[in-house]
Amino acid sequence: MTLQGSAARWDRALFDAVARRHWPGAERVLPRLGRAANHGVLWGGTALAIAAFGSAPARKAALRASASLALASATINTVGKWSVRRPRPLLDGVPAVRQLSRQPQTTSFPSGHSASAFAFATGLALHAPALGAAVAPVAASVAFSRVYTGVHYPSDVAAGAALGVAAGFAVRRIAQRLEGARAVPGDEPEAVDAPALPDGEGLVVVVNAGSGSAAAAGLDVLRDRLPKAEVVECDGPDLRRELDAAAGRAAVLGVCGGDGTVNAAATAALRAGLPLAVFPGGTLNHFALDLGLTGAEETCRAIAEGRAVKVGVGRFTPGPEPVEPVAAADSGPVDTRGPDAALAAGLDPVAAGSHDAAAASGSASPGYFLNTFSIGAYPELLRHRLHWAPRIGGGPAMVLAAWRVLRKQRPVRLRLAGRPRNVWLLFAGNGTYHGTGAAPRGPDNPAEGVF
């Protein structure tokens, strides 16, 4: 008997063993579970639930999981099913109570349900391990249900699962390449007086544990490459205090977090006259990507070699009735010791809120920002969303925030170039923002020095 014939015999024997065995409770669950996964409905619903109630990193993971499912499904239905024309198993030994009321008409190898299930679970696990662990048993049950109901051989399911896992890793690789293509350094001038710290001594890195991807930011690379660096982990409420304390004892201040965290660190570094080392650890990481940074490796190399660039820093001064600014959600080393830029001549806000700037409520001291500054409806939208997101999830929080802002928001009174204005929203970008549509994509050069 050939190897292929032997494998087919063992495959059929395992299929018959599953059919003969009684699986307590399975008759009520597995056929329904398999039907729920038809056309990816089960996984689409899971992704929507995560998008509605999950955090920003969870929503990103759900998007990657859905992309993995789409890739696996397209591969199975265009290549897999038509390359191996294997007929479906005979149902002679499968109890009638297990059999599906409507039998599939496509070929048997490989299993599309198994591919979709494992693609979604893999894509989710690679970016949100806890969610992936929760979904994995459901994915395995869906795959097993295809043998249990008699529509696939075990080898069909194994091949489909393997293709699904491969699709999850392929999507992660594609996403990494796209992110790398986005991270293109600009023409920022070099900072010639940044200290070289070959073993990390003198570097203090403050990690915002609540940032979008701080847990997966590659800080093990930092500890390996710069063993004498000090790493301080904290939560959002303690961030500014820890940054100020770190700036008091550091030669280089490091920060790991998203754009809001990096902005707070830039303020501390600027006031202390220190260079700032950025380790991307947020959801979007706009500022880090604008500098060509995608992970800890590039930042560690630059710190060890003493390479840094200068960037422009925006400054704003609250008016007589400031409100508490809102830090934006977390979206090479940077030398912040150069001169900062004034926000705009003649701009004197009556009520100011900042997109990624930071200033103490009730204080007239200036605040600073790296990316954008905004006044009006958008900061209010952010404030409400950040308040409600931990309680009801990001999606519902955004809906509630939009409802409250649209219902209660009024134009903001300000003077622009000496003229009084009533505006719903004022947006100032640090650098020339390019692109069209509701949201410009961002500046090409953070050191441009214009608004």
Side-chain angles (χ1 to χ4, degrees):
M1 181 179 290
T2 65
L3 181 62
Q4 182 178 1
S6 178
R9 182 168 62 85
W10 280 102
D11 201 21
R12 180 70 205 195
L14 185 56
F15 176 87
D16 291 338
V18 172
R20 288 193 302 268
R21 180 173 177 177
H22 173 64
W23 303 84
E27 293 175 356
R28 298 173 60 88
V29 176
L30 291 181
R32 290 184 173 88
L33 187 61
R35 287 195 298 271
N38 288 347
H39 308 294
V41 172
L42 173 63
W43 311 117
T46 303
L48 288 175
I50 295 173
F53 300 103
S55 62
R59 292 195 294 272
K60 185 176 181 179
L63 179 61
R64 298 277 179 88
S66 300
S68 302
L69 185 153
L71 177 60
S73 181
T75 303
I76 291 292
N77 291 315
T78 58
V79 178
K81 293 288 188 181
W82 299 101
S83 298
V84 183
R85 308 288 292 176
R86 186 183 197 182
R88 297 277 177 173
L90 297 176
L91 299 176
D92 296 346
V94 180
V97 69
R98 300 185 188 178
Q99 296 179 24
L100 302 180
S101 58
R102 181 180 297 177
Q103 293 296 317
Q105 300 301 312
T106 57
T107 54
S108 184
F109 185 92
S111 167
H113 279 64
S114 302
S116 297
F118 275 83
F120 188 87
T122 301
L124 199 61
L126 288 174
H127 303 92
L131 289 174
V135 166
V138 182
S141 299
V142 168
F144 178 69
S145 75
R146 306 306 284 173
V147 179
Y148 179 84
T149 56
V151 295
H152 280 293
Y153 291 106
S155 60
D156 302 337
V157 168
L163 285 170
V165 171
F169 278 93
V171 167
R172 183 178 71 167
R173 181 60 177 165
I174 292 170
Q176 289 173 341
R177 289 189 175 184
L178 291 175
E179 189 174 72
R182 164 71 176 83
V184 179
D187 298 325
E188 300 86 7
E190 291 188 5
V192 297
D193 53 349
L197 308 177
D199 57 3
E201 186 174 5
L203 170 68
V204 182
V205 181
V206 178
V207 180
N208 185 354
S211 293
S213 59
L219 294 181
D220 52 336
V221 175
L222 165 63
R223 295 183 176 96
D224 180 60
R225 292 285 303 272
L226 304 172
K228 292 188 177 181
E230 179 185 352
V231 178
V232 179
E233 296 191 24
C234 66
D235 293 320
D238 301 323
L239 179 64
R240 299 190 188 283
R241 183 175 67 252
E242 293 294 347
L243 285 169
D244 290 338
R249 63 181 184 273
V252 173
L253 178 62
V255 61
C256 178
D259 289 310
T261 301
V262 171
N263 191 87
T267 300
L270 185 67
R271 290 171 176 166
L274 296 176
L276 178 66
V278 178
F279 294 86
T283 303
L284 299 177
N285 301 312
H286 287 300
F287 182 72
L289 292 175
D290 287 341
L291 295 174
L293 299 174
T294 59
E297 184 68 33
E298 297 98 327
T299 307
C300 288
R301 189 182 306 117
I303 293 170
E305 298 172 0
R307 292 186 291 106
V309 297
K310 291 184 178 181
V311 300
V313 179
R315 182 182 64 193
F316 69 94
T317 302
E321 300 176 14
V323 298
E324 182 178 359
V326 180
D330 287 331
S331 46
V334 179
D335 191 331
T336 59
R337 290 172 289 183
D340 54 39
L343 177 60
L347 176 60
D348 182 13
V350 173
S354 168
H355 181 168
D356 64 2
S361 178
S363 171
S365 61
Y368 301 92
F369 64 96
L370 296 172
N371 293 337
T372 59
F373 176 97
S374 57
I375 297 171
Y378 181 65
E380 286 300 302
L381 186 72
L382 274 182
R383 183 170 68 84
H384 289 299
R385 183 177 69 82
L386 293 174
H387 174 74
W388 288 104
R391 298 170 173 82
I392 62 176
M398 178 59 76
V399 174
L400 178 60
W403 177 77
R404 297 195 66 167
V405 168
L406 291 173
R407 187 169 64 94
K408 293 186 175 181
Q409 184 68 20
R410 295 293 180 268
V412 177
R413 295 180 295 110
L414 54 79
R415 287 191 300 276
L416 183 59
R419 297 176 56 189
R421 295 287 185 90
N422 290 331
V423 301
W424 289 100
L425 172 66
L426 181 142
F427 174 94
N430 185 5
T432 303
Y433 275 59
H434 303 282
T436 59
R441 66 176 176 84
D444 290 332
N445 185 358
E448 189 175 4
V450 298
F451 289 105

